Amino acid sequence: DQQVKQNSPSLSVQEGRISILNCDYTNSMFDYFLWYKKYPAEGPTFLISISSIKDKNEDGRFTVFLNKSAKHLSLHIVPSQPGDSAVYFCAASALNLNTGTASKLTFGTGTRLQVTL
Amino acid sequence: KAGVTQTPRYLIKTRGQQVTLSCSPISGHRSVSWYQQTPGQGLQFLFEYFSETQRNKGNFPGRFSGRQFSNSRSEMNVSTLELGDSALYLCASMKRGGLPSTGELFFGEGSRLTVL
């Protein structure tokens, strides 16, 4: 049961254009969402996050939008650069009522972004 | 500041064997989590340790186990290896008790296990 879904395995975008990566989730208990970027032979690195009390968070060229009613979030990269070529993972967490922590992340399967010249 | 260190980086085992992977978290980080990455399933949560205690557990069989030492270093063990256990095993450390925050999960480069 894939609770976090990234339905596009790959995306190709021209340099300078906007990249839009999408993510859907099914668990309404998720209250914190993150995007990670992964290069080959490296571990994922944190990119940007958003709390469920917000609908938008921006950090430089990266903006994450959250639509709670649709259980959908998206990552916008503007303008896209060749160095952005990587696999992007969407992740979500929910408060563990037993431990009082939210340290378990549920990841999507990733979208491979290729930014072409 | 040194990052999360995982050893070994690559290893090959045969079916039925067992394997132990090691993870040294960032200094001062007390939480260590393990994830399995496979092409079709993405990253799947195995378990999390905090102060030598397993705090969260994913949906993996009992063949997968782990532990954490008093210096926060962690090991995970997979017994009776199966072909499907071939994957990249990622360790991540976190300073505080849990999210939410600005992505406090720091990942190592992973240990790539191939089971023949």
Side-chain angles (χ1 to χ4, degrees), chain A residues 12-89:
Chain A
S12 183
V13 173
Q14 270 191 322
E15 182 182 10
R17 299 287 187 110
I18 183 172
S19 295
I20 301 177
L21 295 93
N22 293 303
C23 178
D24 297 293
Y25 62 95
T26 57
N27 189 342
S28 57
M29 298 298 292
F30 287 146
D31 54 11
Y32 199 72
F33 304 90
L34 308 92
W35 285 93
Y36 280 81
K37 177 178 172 179
K38 186 179 186 298
Y39 293 115
E42 294 184 11
T45 54
F46 168 75
L47 198 56
I48 192 169
S49 62
I50 188 167
S51 165
S52 60
I53 62 173
K54 295 185 177 181
D55 55 19
K56 177 183 173 181
N57 189 25
E58 193 171 353
D59 184 3
R61 296 185 297 115
F62 303 91
T63 304
V64 56
F65 295 92
L66 175 63
N67 183 334
K68 281 188 66 178
S69 61
K71 293 191 176 67
H72 176 84
L73 64 156
S74 61
L75 174 68
H76 292 211
I77 306 174
V78 183
S80 301
Q81 298 174 353
D84 296 330
S85 297
V87 177
Y88 289 78
F89 289 97

